[in-house]
Amino acid sequence: MAGSWTAALFAIASCLSFTVPGTAAEQPTAAQMMDDLMYGRGTVGGPFTLTDPDGKPRSDSEFRGKLMVVYFGYTYCPDVCPTDLMAISQALDALGPAAEGIQPVFITVDPERDTKGLADYVAAFHHSLVGLAGSPEEIRKVANSYKAFYAKVPAERSGEYSIDHAGVIYLMGRNGEYLGFMPPQTNPERLTEILRKYLAK
């Protein structure tokens, strides 16, 4: 699935291939994670239990029997996350009733700010999109298992911060197995094509 996008992912990795103070011991560099992802080094994904906006624990195991589309992002993201989530939503709509066999999951990489607004955020995109949060340590563990890089970048003057993140779309199989990834800005038509192919298997 990823072959034709190698150059694009290398570009993303080169933009993010820095180490933010305080994160080096918590995750590999962006370049290393992207390299591992593109060339299939190591496992991708794995069991997790996080919390939905209602405070209910949600485990990946409850989505067995469906394809799972996993996206790591944050609600304050100005452009990449909304664009990708809209593409995912449009793809699901294009699939019609067949989309019931797919579970989209949005995992926030900004749990400090996203706990309160997460429910409204995911509801704005698609009725089936599940938003998940957790402690910073829990989120980091799940993100690392998916080779999903993110790092907080403080603003110089405002005291606020943004988050650099790769924006990769992950596709997991009906038994929780890793099927592949799609890069950020994949258009809805391409997403629909890929999802339809795996639904038919």
Side-chain angles (χ1 to χ4, degrees):
M1 188 187 301
S4 62
W5 299 312
T6 299
L9 268 293
F10 267 126
I12 294 169
S14 65
C15 291
L16 297 176
S17 59
F18 57 84
T19 300
V20 174
T23 65
E26 299 174 12
Q27 69 174 340
T29 66
Q32 179 182 339
M33 296 180 91
M34 284 292 183
D35 194 57
D36 289 347
L37 186 62
M38 286 187 292
Y39 293 105
R41 296 170 181 159
T43 59
V44 177
F48 64 78
T49 299
L50 295 171
T51 306
D52 70 14
D54 295 324
K56 178 183 177 182
R58 305 293 294 271
S59 170
D60 65 297
S61 61
E62 71 181 84
F63 305 129
R64 294 293 183 268
K66 293 186 176 184
L67 299 178
M68 188 167 64
V69 175
V70 181
Y71 190 84
F72 294 85
Y74 67 115
T75 67
Y76 285 73
C77 182
D79 43 31
V80 175
C81 293
T83 301
D84 287 338
L85 291 174
M86 183 58 69
I88 292 169
S89 298
Q90 291 172 346
L92 292 172
D93 288 341
L95 289 168
E100 294 180 8
I102 301 169
Q103 179 59 61
V105 177
F106 176 83
I107 299 176
T108 177
V109 295
D110 190 14
E112 297 168 336
R113 294 186 296 190
D114 281 353
T115 303
K116 293 182 180 179
L118 189 55
D120 291 339
Y121 185 78
V122 297
F125 291 100
H126 200 270
H127 65 87
S128 68
L129 183 60
V130 172
L132 298 178
S135 70
E137 295 76 17
E138 289 170 334
I139 297 296
R140 179 67 71 189
K141 181 179 179 181
V142 176
N144 282 355
S145 73
Y146 276 81
K147 304 185 188 299
F149 178 88
Y150 67 96
K152 186 185 294 186
V153 181
E156 292 184 4
R157 297 181 180 179
S158 67
E160 292 295 319
Y161 61 88
S162 61
I163 296 180
D164 277 322
H165 63 110
V168 171
I169 302 167
Y170 300 87
L171 181 60
M172 311 302 288
R174 294 181 177 88
N175 294 312
E177 73 278 15
Y178 172 64
L179 297 177
F181 73 90
M182 295 155 278
Q185 312 302 296
T186 300
N187 63 55
E189 293 76 20
R190 178 59 175 155
L191 286 171
T192 304
E193 177 186 350
I194 292 169
L195 292 172
R196 183 176 285 119
K197 180 181 75 171
Y198 281 98
L199 281 169
K201 292 186 176 182

